[in-house]
Amino acid sequence: MQQHGISKLDLKRQNRMHVLKILKRRGPTSRIDIANMLKLTRAAVTIITNEMIEQGIIVEVGEYKHTLEKAPRGRKKIFIDINQNYKFVLGVCIEEDIVSVGLSTLAGLVLDKRNREIDQNVDYYEITDFVKESLRSILTDNCLKNEDLLGIGFGIFPSMYSCMKVVMEDGEPNFINLADDIYAQFPVPLIFDNSVKGTAMANIDFLPDKDENRQNIAFLQIGNSLHFVVTNLNDPIYSYDNRTDFVDKMIVNKNASTICPKCQRRGCVSNEISIPAIVKKIRSIHSAENTPILYKLTGGNPDRITVDVIKRAYEAGDKTEISKVFRSVCDLYAVLLNNLYYATNPQKIVIQCWDMTDKIFDFLMESVERIAGEEVKSKISLSIIEDRHRFLSGCALAIRELFYTRGGFDAYAEDLRK
C-alpha cells in the first residue's frame, strides 16, 4: 500500500532546520521567540531544542537582559544559539587562477588554509594532488579525525569543469569522477557545486553582524568572465543558479566598434568589461609617451601587460591615461549594475573582484552615482570574502547542505556524494 504525507522523521528534520535557520539569521534567540516565529507551542520548541542541546548542536548562551528597572513576571527568556564548533568543515575552491583549501567553523571562522596559484597549463592531477595533500595536512595539523568533520565542500568555477573532469548532462554538471577520486582517500560527506554560488552563500551566511532583514542579494563575480547569482529568501534562484555566466552576454555599450568573438555581437560584457577586455584596452594605449612606467615595466612589449603590472604602473605614477580607461570601463559597469538592479530588485548587490583596489572601487561608485543614481549606489557593497580565503565558497556550500538543510542530523557519506 502506497503511503503519502510527511513522516515523523521528516517533520522533525524540518522543524530543526527552521530552528537553525532562525538562529543563523538572528543570532541568539529565545525559545519563546522561536515558537512565535514557527507557530509552534513553547513545549514543542523546548523538546526540539533540548534534544539539539544534548547533541551539542546548539547551546544556551544566557538570559535576556531587561532594560526596564523592573523585569516582567514569569519565566525568564533564555537565549540559545548555534554551537559553531559542533563540527568543522573543510572547503575547496578551484578557480582559473588559484586552488584554495581551508578549514572553518560553522560560522565561517577561518582556522587553517592552503593556497596555490595556477595557470591555464595546470592539469587535473596537479590540482587533485594539491587538494589531497592540503586536506591531509590540515587534518593532521589540527588533530582532527573524520568524525570531527561535517564534510568537505567543493566550489568549482564553471570554466574549470572540463579540467576537473566534470561532465555536463542535460545542462547539469556531474561531479562523480572528482567525487570518487576524493572519497577514496577522504570517506566523509562531499558536496560539489558552482564556486560562484558558494561565494554568494558565504556572503550571506558568514556576515559578522546579523541582519535578519537581509534576505535577497544579487552577487556579481568579476574576472576573466562575469558570473551572477540572485537569491530569494537567502537561497539561490534556480534559473540563475545553473547559468551564472549569462551576464557575460548582456549588452552594455551600444556604440561599441568591435564584434565579440564569442557571441558575435557588439558591446557585450565579455568584450567590453571583463578582465581580458580591460587588459586589451590598456594595451591599446601602451606607449612610451602615454604610459611610460608601464612601458618600462613591460620592456615595451604589450603582450607582457597583466592586471598586476597595470596596478604596479598606476601606483608608481602612470595615472592619467590608465585612469581614463578605468573610468570608461566603470561607466559601462554602472550601466550593467543599473540593469541588474532593476531587473532583479535585490536588497544588495555584492561585488566580488579579486583584483579590485579601493581606488577602482571609488571610480566605480562615482560612475554608478552619475549614471544609475544614488539609490543604486546605496545598494552596492564589496564581498566580505578575502582573496586568500576563497575556500569559504566550499565551506558555505557544505554547511548549507550538510547542516542547515538536514536540521543538524549527521549526514551519511554514502548518500551525499555527488
Side-chain angles (χ1 to χ4, degrees), residues 300-345:
N301 184 356
D303 293 336
R304 294 175 60 185
I305 296 176
T306 63
V307 171
D308 287 338
V309 175
I310 293 169
K311 287 194 291 187
R312 284 167 55 198
Y314 180 85
E315 291 166 359
D318 257 356
K319 299 190 185 309
T320 303
E321 296 301 320
I322 292 177
S323 290
K324 288 180 182 178
V325 174
F326 285 165
R327 289 184 185 280
S328 67
V329 168
C330 286
D331 283 355
L332 297 180
Y333 265 108
V335 173
L336 174 65
L337 290 166
N338 178 77
N339 293 344
L340 291 175
Y341 174 73
Y342 284 106
T344 60
N345 193 32

Short mmCIF file of all heavy atoms in Angstrom, two decimals, residues 300-345:
data_model
loop_
_atom_site.label_atom_id
_atom_site.label_comp_id
_atom_site.label_asym_id
_atom_site.label_seq_id
_atom_site.Cartn_x
_atom_site.Cartn_y
_atom_site.Cartn_z
N GLY A 300 58.50 47.46 -23.18
CA GLY A 300 57.92 47.87 -24.45
C GLY A 300 57.08 46.81 -25.13
O GLY A 300 56.57 47.02 -26.24
N ASN A 301 56.89 45.65 -24.48
CA ASN A 301 56.15 44.53 -25.07
C ASN A 301 54.72 44.51 -24.50
O ASN A 301 54.53 44.14 -23.34
CB ASN A 301 56.86 43.22 -24.77
CG ASN A 301 56.18 42.03 -25.44
OD1 ASN A 301 55.13 42.17 -26.07
ND2 ASN A 301 56.78 40.87 -25.30
N PRO A 302 53.72 44.87 -25.30
CA PRO A 302 52.34 44.90 -24.78
C PRO A 302 51.82 43.53 -24.36
O PRO A 302 50.90 43.44 -23.55
CB PRO A 302 51.53 45.47 -25.95
CG PRO A 302 52.37 45.20 -27.16
CD PRO A 302 53.79 45.29 -26.71
N ASP A 303 52.42 42.46 -24.89
CA ASP A 303 51.98 41.11 -24.52
C ASP A 303 52.32 40.77 -23.07
O ASP A 303 51.79 39.81 -22.52
CB ASP A 303 52.61 40.07 -25.45
CG ASP A 303 52.09 40.17 -26.88
OD1 ASP A 303 50.97 40.69 -27.05
OD2 ASP A 303 52.81 39.76 -27.80
N ARG A 304 53.19 41.56 -22.46
CA ARG A 304 53.58 41.31 -21.07
C ARG A 304 52.70 42.07 -20.08
O ARG A 304 52.90 42.01 -18.87
CB ARG A 304 55.04 41.70 -20.86
CG ARG A 304 56.02 40.83 -21.65
CD ARG A 304 57.45 41.31 -21.52
NE ARG A 304 57.90 41.29 -20.13
CZ ARG A 304 59.08 41.76 -19.72
NH1 ARG A 304 59.90 42.29 -20.60
NH2 ARG A 304 59.42 41.71 -18.45
N ILE A 305 51.70 42.77 -20.60
CA ILE A 305 50.79 43.52 -19.73
C ILE A 305 49.82 42.56 -19.04
O ILE A 305 49.14 41.77 -19.70
CB ILE A 305 50.01 44.58 -20.52
CG1 ILE A 305 50.96 45.62 -21.10
CG2 ILE A 305 48.97 45.26 -19.63
CD1 ILE A 305 50.27 46.65 -21.98
N THR A 306 49.79 42.63 -17.73
CA THR A 306 48.84 41.86 -16.93
C THR A 306 48.17 42.81 -15.94
O THR A 306 48.57 43.96 -15.80
CB THR A 306 49.55 40.74 -16.14
OG1 THR A 306 50.46 41.34 -15.21
CG2 THR A 306 50.32 39.81 -17.08
N VAL A 307 47.17 42.31 -15.24
CA VAL A 307 46.49 43.13 -14.24
C VAL A 307 47.47 43.60 -13.16
O VAL A 307 47.46 44.77 -12.76
CB VAL A 307 45.32 42.34 -13.60
CG1 VAL A 307 44.75 43.11 -12.42
CG2 VAL A 307 44.23 42.07 -14.62
N ASP A 308 48.33 42.70 -12.70
CA ASP A 308 49.29 43.07 -11.66
C ASP A 308 50.25 44.16 -12.15
O ASP A 308 50.56 45.09 -11.40
CB ASP A 308 50.08 41.84 -11.21
CG ASP A 308 49.25 40.90 -10.35
OD1 ASP A 308 48.26 41.37 -9.77
OD2 ASP A 308 49.60 39.71 -10.26
N VAL A 309 50.71 44.04 -13.39
CA VAL A 309 51.64 45.04 -13.93
C VAL A 309 50.92 46.39 -14.08
O VAL A 309 51.50 47.45 -13.81
CB VAL A 309 52.21 44.58 -15.28
CG1 VAL A 309 53.07 45.68 -15.91
CG2 VAL A 309 53.04 43.32 -15.10
N ILE A 310 49.67 46.36 -14.50
CA ILE A 310 48.89 47.60 -14.63
C ILE A 310 48.77 48.29 -13.28
O ILE A 310 48.96 49.50 -13.15
CB ILE A 310 47.49 47.31 -15.22
CG1 ILE A 310 47.61 46.82 -16.67
CG2 ILE A 310 46.61 48.56 -15.16
CD1 ILE A 310 46.32 46.28 -17.24
N LYS A 311 48.46 47.52 -12.24
CA LYS A 311 48.33 48.09 -10.90
C LYS A 311 49.65 48.68 -10.41
O LYS A 311 49.68 49.77 -9.83
CB LYS A 311 47.82 47.02 -9.91
CG LYS A 311 46.35 46.68 -10.09
CD LYS A 311 45.79 45.90 -8.93
CE LYS A 311 46.34 44.51 -8.85
NZ LYS A 311 45.65 43.71 -7.81
N ARG A 312 50.75 47.99 -10.69
CA ARG A 312 52.07 48.50 -10.28
C ARG A 312 52.38 49.80 -11.00
O ARG A 312 52.89 50.75 -10.38
CB ARG A 312 53.14 47.45 -10.58
CG ARG A 312 53.16 46.28 -9.60
CD ARG A 312 54.02 45.15 -10.13
NE ARG A 312 55.37 45.61 -10.44
CZ ARG A 312 56.21 44.92 -11.23
NH1 ARG A 312 55.81 43.78 -11.79
NH2 ARG A 312 57.42 45.39 -11.45
N ALA A 313 52.09 49.86 -12.28
CA ALA A 313 52.37 51.07 -13.06
C ALA A 313 51.50 52.23 -12.57
O ALA A 313 51.97 53.36 -12.43
CB ALA A 313 52.12 50.81 -14.54
N TYR A 314 50.26 51.95 -12.29
CA TYR A 314 49.33 53.00 -11.81
C TYR A 314 49.81 53.56 -10.47
O TYR A 314 49.88 54.77 -10.27
CB TYR A 314 47.93 52.44 -11.70
CG TYR A 314 46.91 53.45 -11.21
CD1 TYR A 314 46.29 54.31 -12.11
CD2 TYR A 314 46.60 53.56 -9.86
CE1 TYR A 314 45.37 55.26 -11.68
CE2 TYR A 314 45.68 54.49 -9.41
CZ TYR A 314 45.07 55.34 -10.33
OH TYR A 314 44.18 56.29 -9.90
N GLU A 315 50.13 52.66 -9.55
CA GLU A 315 50.56 53.09 -8.22
C GLU A 315 51.89 53.84 -8.27
O GLU A 315 52.17 54.68 -7.41
CB GLU A 315 50.67 51.87 -7.30
CG GLU A 315 49.31 51.26 -6.96
CD GLU A 315 49.43 49.87 -6.34
OE1 GLU A 315 50.58 49.39 -6.20
OE2 GLU A 315 48.38 49.28 -6.03
N ALA A 316 52.72 53.56 -9.31
CA ALA A 316 54.02 54.23 -9.44
C ALA A 316 53.92 55.58 -10.15
O ALA A 316 54.92 56.29 -10.25
CB ALA A 316 55.00 53.33 -10.18
N GLY A 317 52.72 55.91 -10.67
CA GLY A 317 52.57 57.24 -11.26
C GLY A 317 51.95 57.31 -12.64
O GLY A 317 51.66 58.41 -13.13
N ASP A 318 51.72 56.19 -13.29
CA ASP A 318 51.08 56.18 -14.61
C ASP A 318 49.57 56.34 -14.46
O ASP A 318 48.79 55.43 -14.77
CB ASP A 318 51.38 54.85 -15.32
CG ASP A 318 52.45 55.00 -16.39
OD1 ASP A 318 52.90 56.12 -16.61
OD2 ASP A 318 52.84 53.98 -16.97
N LYS A 319 49.11 57.48 -14.00
CA LYS A 319 47.71 57.61 -13.62
C LYS A 319 46.82 58.19 -14.72
O LYS A 319 45.68 57.79 -14.88
CB LYS A 319 47.58 58.46 -12.36
CG LYS A 319 48.29 57.86 -11.15
CD LYS A 319 47.94 58.61 -9.89
CE LYS A 319 48.71 58.12 -8.68
NZ LYS A 319 48.71 56.72 -8.45
N THR A 320 47.33 59.13 -15.51
CA THR A 320 46.46 59.89 -16.41
C THR A 320 45.75 59.02 -17.43
O THR A 320 44.51 58.95 -17.47
CB THR A 320 47.27 60.98 -17.14
OG1 THR A 320 47.89 61.82 -16.16
CG2 THR A 320 46.35 61.83 -18.00
N GLU A 321 46.50 58.32 -18.27
CA GLU A 321 45.89 57.53 -19.34
C GLU A 321 45.21 56.27 -18.81
O GLU A 321 44.15 55.88 -19.29
CB GLU A 321 46.95 57.16 -20.39
CG GLU A 321 47.54 58.36 -21.13
CD GLU A 321 46.46 59.15 -21.84
OE1 GLU A 321 45.54 58.53 -22.41
OE2 GLU A 321 46.54 60.40 -21.83
N ILE A 322 45.84 55.63 -17.82
CA ILE A 322 45.22 54.42 -17.24
C ILE A 322 43.91 54.78 -16.56
O ILE A 322 42.92 54.04 -16.65
CB ILE A 322 46.20 53.73 -16.27
CG1 ILE A 322 47.39 53.14 -17.04
CG2 ILE A 322 45.49 52.62 -15.49
CD1 ILE A 322 48.44 52.49 -16.16
N SER A 323 43.86 55.92 -15.87
CA SER A 323 42.62 56.35 -15.22
C SER A 323 41.51 56.56 -16.23
O SER A 323 40.34 56.27 -15.95
CB SER A 323 42.86 57.64 -14.43
OG SER A 323 43.67 57.40 -13.30
N LYS A 324 41.85 57.08 -17.41
CA LYS A 324 40.83 57.28 -18.45
C LYS A 324 40.19 55.95 -18.83
O LYS A 324 38.97 55.86 -19.01
CB LYS A 324 41.46 57.93 -19.68
CG LYS A 324 41.84 59.39 -19.49
CD LYS A 324 42.46 59.96 -20.77
CE LYS A 324 42.88 61.41 -20.59
NZ LYS A 324 43.54 61.94 -21.81
N VAL A 325 41.02 54.92 -18.96
CA VAL A 325 40.48 53.59 -19.29
C VAL A 325 39.63 53.07 -18.14
O VAL A 325 38.51 52.58 -18.35
CB VAL A 325 41.62 52.59 -19.60
CG1 VAL A 325 41.07 51.18 -19.78
CG2 VAL A 325 42.38 53.02 -20.84
N PHE A 326 40.14 53.18 -16.92
CA PHE A 326 39.39 52.71 -15.76
C PHE A 326 38.03 53.40 -15.67
O PHE A 326 37.00 52.75 -15.42
CB PHE A 326 40.17 52.97 -14.47
CG PHE A 326 41.32 52.03 -14.24
CD1 PHE A 326 42.30 52.32 -13.30
CD2 PHE A 326 41.42 50.84 -14.94
CE1 PHE A 326 43.36 51.46 -13.07
CE2 PHE A 326 42.48 49.97 -14.73
CZ PHE A 326 43.45 50.28 -13.79
N ARG A 327 38.02 54.71 -15.88
CA ARG A 327 36.76 55.45 -15.75
C ARG A 327 35.78 55.07 -16.86
O ARG A 327 34.57 54.96 -16.60
CB ARG A 327 37.04 56.95 -15.78
CG ARG A 327 37.73 57.45 -14.51
CD ARG A 327 37.92 58.96 -14.52
NE ARG A 327 38.67 59.42 -13.37
CZ ARG A 327 38.17 59.60 -12.15
NH1 ARG A 327 36.88 59.36 -11.94
NH2 ARG A 327 38.92 60.03 -11.16
N SER A 328 36.26 54.85 -18.07
CA SER A 328 35.37 54.45 -19.16
C SER A 328 34.78 53.06 -18.89
O SER A 328 33.60 52.81 -19.16
CB SER A 328 36.10 54.48 -20.50
OG SER A 328 37.11 53.48 -20.56
N VAL A 329 35.61 52.17 -18.35
CA VAL A 329 35.13 50.83 -18.00
C VAL A 329 34.13 50.91 -16.85
O VAL A 329 33.09 50.23 -16.87
CB VAL A 329 36.31 49.91 -17.62
CG1 VAL A 329 35.81 48.62 -16.98
CG2 VAL A 329 37.16 49.60 -18.85
N CYS A 330 34.41 51.75 -15.86
CA CYS A 330 33.49 51.91 -14.73
C CYS A 330 32.14 52.44 -15.18
O CYS A 330 31.09 52.07 -14.62
CB CYS A 330 34.10 52.83 -13.67
SG CYS A 330 35.43 52.06 -12.72
N ASP A 331 32.13 53.30 -16.17
CA ASP A 331 30.86 53.80 -16.72
C ASP A 331 30.03 52.66 -17.29
O ASP A 331 28.80 52.60 -17.11
CB ASP A 331 31.11 54.85 -17.81
CG ASP A 331 31.50 56.21 -17.23
OD1 ASP A 331 31.48 56.36 -16.00
OD2 ASP A 331 31.83 57.11 -18.03
N LEU A 332 30.70 51.73 -17.97
CA LEU A 332 29.98 50.58 -18.54
C LEU A 332 29.51 49.64 -17.42
O LEU A 332 28.43 49.04 -17.51
CB LEU A 332 30.86 49.84 -19.53
CG LEU A 332 31.29 50.65 -20.77
CD1 LEU A 332 32.18 49.80 -21.68
CD2 LEU A 332 30.07 51.15 -21.54
N TYR A 333 30.33 49.51 -16.38
CA TYR A 333 29.90 48.71 -15.23
C TYR A 333 28.68 49.33 -14.56
O TYR A 333 27.78 48.62 -14.08
CB TYR A 333 31.03 48.56 -14.21
CG TYR A 333 31.82 47.30 -14.39
CD1 TYR A 333 33.12 47.34 -14.89
CD2 TYR A 333 31.28 46.06 -14.07
CE1 TYR A 333 33.85 46.18 -15.07
CE2 TYR A 333 32.00 44.89 -14.26
CZ TYR A 333 33.29 44.96 -14.75
OH TYR A 333 34.01 43.80 -14.93
N ALA A 334 28.63 50.65 -14.54
CA ALA A 334 27.47 51.34 -13.95
C ALA A 334 26.21 51.00 -14.73
O ALA A 334 25.14 50.81 -14.14
CB ALA A 334 27.71 52.85 -13.93
N VAL A 335 26.32 50.93 -16.04
CA VAL A 335 25.17 50.54 -16.87
C VAL A 335 24.73 49.12 -16.53
O VAL A 335 23.54 48.83 -16.34
CB VAL A 335 25.53 50.63 -18.37
CG1 VAL A 335 24.41 50.05 -19.22
CG2 VAL A 335 25.82 52.08 -18.76
N LEU A 336 25.71 48.21 -16.42
CA LEU A 336 25.40 46.82 -16.08
C LEU A 336 24.74 46.72 -14.71
O LEU A 336 23.70 46.06 -14.55
CB LEU A 336 26.67 45.98 -16.10
CG LEU A 336 26.52 44.53 -15.64
CD1 LEU A 336 25.61 43.75 -16.58
CD2 LEU A 336 27.88 43.85 -15.51
N LEU A 337 25.31 47.38 -13.70
CA LEU A 337 24.77 47.30 -12.35
C LEU A 337 23.37 47.90 -12.27
O LEU A 337 22.50 47.38 -11.57
CB LEU A 337 25.71 48.01 -11.37
CG LEU A 337 27.04 47.30 -11.13
CD1 LEU A 337 28.03 48.22 -10.42
CD2 LEU A 337 26.83 46.03 -10.32
N ASN A 338 23.15 48.97 -12.99
CA ASN A 338 21.82 49.58 -13.05
C ASN A 338 20.81 48.58 -13.61
O ASN A 338 19.72 48.39 -13.05
CB ASN A 338 21.86 50.83 -13.91
CG ASN A 338 20.50 51.48 -14.06
OD1 ASN A 338 20.01 52.15 -13.16
ND2 ASN A 338 19.86 51.28 -15.21
N ASN A 339 21.17 47.93 -14.71
CA ASN A 339 20.25 46.98 -15.35
C ASN A 339 20.00 45.76 -14.47
O ASN A 339 18.87 45.27 -14.37
CB ASN A 339 20.80 46.55 -16.70
CG ASN A 339 20.83 47.70 -17.71
OD1 ASN A 339 20.18 48.72 -17.50
ND2 ASN A 339 21.59 47.54 -18.78
N LEU A 340 21.05 45.26 -13.83
CA LEU A 340 20.90 44.10 -12.96
C LEU A 340 20.04 44.44 -11.74
O LEU A 340 19.21 43.64 -11.30
CB LEU A 340 22.27 43.60 -12.49
CG LEU A 340 23.16 42.96 -13.57
CD1 LEU A 340 24.52 42.63 -13.00
CD2 LEU A 340 22.50 41.70 -14.14
N TYR A 341 20.22 45.64 -11.21
CA TYR A 341 19.45 46.04 -10.04
C TYR A 341 17.96 46.12 -10.36
O TYR A 341 17.13 45.56 -9.63
CB TYR A 341 19.95 47.40 -9.52
CG TYR A 341 19.09 47.94 -8.39
CD1 TYR A 341 19.16 47.37 -7.12
CD2 TYR A 341 18.21 49.00 -8.60
CE1 TYR A 341 18.37 47.85 -6.09
CE2 TYR A 341 17.42 49.48 -7.57
CZ TYR A 341 17.50 48.90 -6.32
OH TYR A 341 16.71 49.36 -5.30
N TYR A 342 17.61 46.79 -11.44
CA TYR A 342 16.19 46.95 -11.76
C TYR A 342 15.57 45.68 -12.34
O TYR A 342 14.35 45.52 -12.30
CB TYR A 342 15.99 48.15 -12.69
CG TYR A 342 16.12 49.46 -11.96
CD1 TYR A 342 17.26 50.26 -12.10
CD2 TYR A 342 15.13 49.88 -11.08
CE1 TYR A 342 17.38 51.45 -11.39
CE2 TYR A 342 15.26 51.06 -10.36
CZ TYR A 342 16.38 51.85 -10.52
OH TYR A 342 16.50 53.02 -9.81
N ALA A 343 16.39 44.77 -12.82
CA ALA A 343 15.86 43.50 -13.33
C ALA A 343 15.60 42.50 -12.21
O ALA A 343 14.69 41.66 -12.32
CB ALA A 343 16.83 42.90 -14.34
N THR A 344 16.38 42.58 -11.12
CA THR A 344 16.27 41.57 -10.06
C THR A 344 15.79 42.12 -8.72
O THR A 344 15.42 41.34 -7.84
CB THR A 344 17.63 40.88 -9.86
OG1 THR A 344 18.62 41.86 -9.47
CG2 THR A 344 18.09 40.20 -11.14
N ASN A 345 15.83 43.45 -8.53
CA ASN A 345 15.31 44.11 -7.32
C ASN A 345 15.86 43.51 -6.03
O ASN A 345 15.10 43.14 -5.13
CB ASN A 345 13.78 44.03 -7.31
CG ASN A 345 13.20 44.97 -6.26
OD1 ASN A 345 13.76 46.02 -5.97
ND2 ASN A 345 12.07 44.58 -5.68
#
